[in-house]
Amino acid sequence: MLWSWRAGIRRGFTLACVAGALFGASGNAEQPPQARAGRPLVRVLMVSDIHFDPFWDLEKVKELLPAPVEKWSAILGGPDSPDRADRFAALQKMCQAKGMDTDYALLVSSVQALRANASDARFVLASGDLLAHDFSCKYEAAVPHATADDYNAFAAKTLAFVMDRLRSTFPGVPVYAALGNNDSGCGDYRLDAGGAFLRTIAPTLSADVPAAQRGQARGDLTAGGYYSVVLPAPMERTQLLVLDDVFMSREYATCGGKPDAAPAAQQIEWLRSQLERARREDEKVWVMAHIPPGINPFSTIPNMKKVCAGAAAAMFLSSNAIADAIEEFGDVVRLAIFAHTHMDELRLLTAKQPGGTQRPVPLKMVPSVSPIHENEPTFVVASVDPDSAILKDYRVVAASNGTGVATAWHEEYDFDRAYGKKDFSEKSVERLIAEFGADDKAKTAASEEYLRYYYAGDRSALLKLFWPQYTCVLANDTAEGFRSCACKSEAAQ
């Protein structure tokens, strides 16, 4: 669904050459954040869309199947089989794969860069899609006589391996992950609430939840892939609510291929109850999930004539329920974290319904490690005020190539320096989006910076052609709001 526009970006432009020093385990990490007003800032690492592909060497899959997760690194790090490249190329062709995801070499390079750039992180957030695209097709080719239970077990083990690599890179540091649409034991956008996959991975995802909360988290994960956790000290009275919004996706179906609205309704009810409790107890909240709420620009913008004539804008999710809940509790929610597009983006969720607090919520979309769209692998190193739970600044670190071989990681940009905003609060993001919207030709320094970093390694000049419409996506998460903004822009051109 997201492929055609990105493919056009890639066809029109050559990825920029980059330079930087290769960061090893003792790399040139940025100095710890300094105290500004009050206590020192807290370092937080954000990573998403790793899309690890264990099928890079099909001969090794035979060894991975019976091996415990602890043995996988030794297997994957061993010499390649002689016909590895030919067999993998054939596999890609058979599964009609549209690009290369994260292989073991890139995974190793990535976690080394994570450690080098955020060795003082107090917690790590992974916002979904730990498993590769086309995972089920590749598994069926590698293990032709496997059962559904076999597939579920291998998918869960692969997810556990990725989580283990993150945790072993940051020993003693909690890693909290959301599930993405590819993170399933029965296929992309397919999942059963209370099913085998969720039951299997619940202990893995809840392992870093404090003991007093862990039992509840495991139960919630098993029921619907969601959970709550108190963010560790020195974060002050801040809850992280993690959702599995594949159940809200327009493409969602059960493992049997049937629609089922019940898991989404149950999860929204849980989300609202958690937000109500946080409001009563004067707590702050972060919300993390994979698929963002709001308009899907990749599907909507190429059809602007139809949209302005009354056709519905394409949405990422089947309803506005997540956005509505977050917006209604803008006095409680300090930050929303999503991903899915693989691009470096931001949004603002603005209360629209009567009774809402009218306090907008800033939304950060974390770019991908996977280079499947020929983008450079990237991750985010953030600094947070522990008292207010406001994201004060972040820097994006990018790779020089997507192979993990002789890969140099470098700082791509810093939010504060790029946009001149003192923090990623709702007011700063609101002002920044307003500046983008007033610049319909994308000529200001801020607009040019956003275009430069939106697609890591590429200036994304094609996006500039649709800049007025794209900026309408940033603060309008309903079809009606987007149409009002974007079609006014259309008429003005």
Side-chain angles (χ1 to χ4, degrees):
M1 179 174 63
L2 307 183
W3 184 261
S4 59
W5 193 8
R6 292 189 188 130
I9 292 175
R10 290 201 321 279
R11 285 195 298 269
F13 308 96
T14 302
L15 296 179
C17 294
V18 295
L22 176 61
F23 294 122
S26 60
N28 301 320
E30 184 185 82
Q31 293 301 308
Q34 300 299 310
R36 297 183 185 179
R39 292 188 292 165
L41 301 180
V42 173
R43 185 90 78 205
V44 179
L45 180 60
M46 300 179 184
V47 61
S48 192
D49 292 272
I50 295 174
H51 288 291
F52 176 64
D53 189 342
F55 305 104
W56 179 252
D57 191 330
L58 287 173
E59 196 62 29
K60 293 179 181 178
V61 175
K62 299 176 184 178
E63 299 179 65
L64 296 176
L65 289 168
V69 165
E70 294 77 17
K71 302 291 186 181
W72 274 34
S73 289
I75 296 169
L76 292 166
D80 288 349
S81 57
D83 58 351
R84 185 213 66 77
D86 290 342
R87 293 180 69 187
F88 185 73
L91 182 66
Q92 289 280 91
K93 183 177 181 179
M94 186 191 73
C95 292
Q96 299 181 349
K98 297 182 175 69
M100 305 288 287
D101 269 321
T102 301
D103 65 359
Y104 182 67
L106 179 57
L107 182 65
V108 170
S109 179
S110 298
V111 295
Q112 288 176 347
L114 294 174
R115 180 70 182 176
N117 284 273
S119 60
D120 59 344
R122 301 305 292 264
F123 55 95
V124 179
L125 302 179
S127 45
D129 270 1
L130 280 69
L131 303 185
H133 297 88
D134 307 303
F135 197 94
S136 58
C137 176
K138 292 179 178 181
Y139 179 83
E140 290 169 7
V143 193
H145 302 297
T147 66
D149 288 343
D150 293 334
Y151 175 72
N152 175 80
F154 189 74
K157 190 189 290 189
T158 305
L159 187 146
F161 170 69
V162 177
M163 290 294 292
D164 180 72
R165 287 311 307 251
L166 291 172
R167 286 175 171 141
S168 62
T169 301
F170 295 92
V173 175
V175 179
Y176 308 122
L179 296 174
N181 51 284
N182 285 278
D183 299 327
S184 169
C186 61
D188 193 15
Y189 290 101
R190 300 290 182 263
L191 193 62
D192 285 339
F197 183 77
L198 292 179
R199 186 167 58 252
T200 304
I201 58 88
T204 298
L205 294 187
S206 62
D208 289 338
V209 174
Q213 293 183 291
R214 195 173 303 146
Q216 183 65 53
R218 286 189 181 184
D220 291 339
L221 280 161
T222 299
Y226 53 87
Y227 63 102
S228 172
V229 61
V230 177
L231 288 177
M235 295 295 293
E236 185 69 27
R237 297 180 60 79
T238 305
Q239 290 275 345
L240 172 68
L241 305 182
V242 181
L243 306 176
D244 184 359
D245 59 355
V246 70
F247 293 112
M248 293 81 159
S249 169
R250 300 175 68 87
E251 300 184 46
Y252 168 70
T254 65
C255 290
K258 297 179 180 180
D260 185 1
Q266 178 183 352
Q267 193 165 169
I268 293 299
E269 182 180 355
W270 175 85
L271 172 63
R272 285 186 168 276
S273 70
Q274 292 292 314
L275 293 172
E276 288 169 355
R277 184 202 53 75
R279 179 181 281 170
R280 288 195 306 270
E281 299 184 11
D282 194 29
E283 293 179 343
K284 300 168 285 291
V285 170
W286 286 10
V287 176
M288 181 172 72
H290 183 66
I291 306 172
I295 309 299
N296 178 348
F298 310 104
S299 298
T300 298
I301 291 177
N303 297 300
M304 282 308 303
K305 288 185 179 180
K306 293 181 179 179
V307 171
C308 292
M315 312 293 288
F316 281 116
L317 302 176
S318 59
S319 78
N320 287 335
I322 288 181
D324 289 347
I326 293 174
E327 291 161 358
E328 184 178 336
F329 290 86
D331 58 323
V332 172
V333 183
R334 293 292 183 268
L335 181 66
I337 303 166
F338 290 84
H340 186 58
T341 68
H342 291 215
M343 302 296 107
D344 188 347
E345 305 187 71
L346 55 80
R347 299 280 191 276
L348 189 72
L349 300 177
T350 306
K352 296 171 289 295
Q353 60 275 70
T357 64
Q358 305 304 312
R359 178 173 178 170
V361 175
L363 187 158
K364 177 58 189 160
M365 291 172 64
V366 181
S368 71
V369 170
S370 169
I372 194 169
H373 302 304
E374 297 184 10
N375 55 290
E376 293 172 350
T378 48
F379 58 85
V380 175
V381 182
S383 300
V384 180
D385 184 318
D387 296 310
S388 66
I390 290 175
L391 183 60
K392 299 297 290 185
D393 196 10
Y394 65 82
R395 46 194 288 264
V396 175
V397 179
S400 59
N401 63 62
T403 67
V405 178
T407 302
W409 294 80
H410 63 285
E411 179 180 305
E412 188 180 35
Y413 77 98
D414 175 276
F415 175 80
D416 186 4
R417 291 197 297 269
Y419 300 114
K421 298 292 183 282
K422 65 179 182 179
D423 55 30
F424 195 77
S425 66
E426 73 278 4
K427 291 181 180 179
S428 294
V429 174
E430 188 172 36
R431 284 194 293 268
L432 183 57
I433 292 175
E435 292 170 16
F436 292 157
D439 178 28
D440 61 349
K441 302 298 183 185
K443 291 184 176 180
T444 67
S447 297
E448 289 184 348
E449 293 287 89
Y450 191 90
L451 287 167
R452 179 177 299 116
Y453 302 127
Y454 166 82
Y455 187 104
D458 182 11
R459 290 184 59 87
S460 309
L462 278 184
L463 181 60
K464 188 172 185 178
L465 300 176
F466 307 102
W467 184 244
Q469 294 78 25
Y470 177 79
T471 60
C472 287
V473 170
L474 303 184
N476 294 282
D477 55 79
T478 66
E480 297 79 10
F482 171 77
R483 182 185 294 112
S484 176
C485 175
C487 294
K488 185 186 303 181
S489 300
E490 284 276 302
Q493 287 184 325

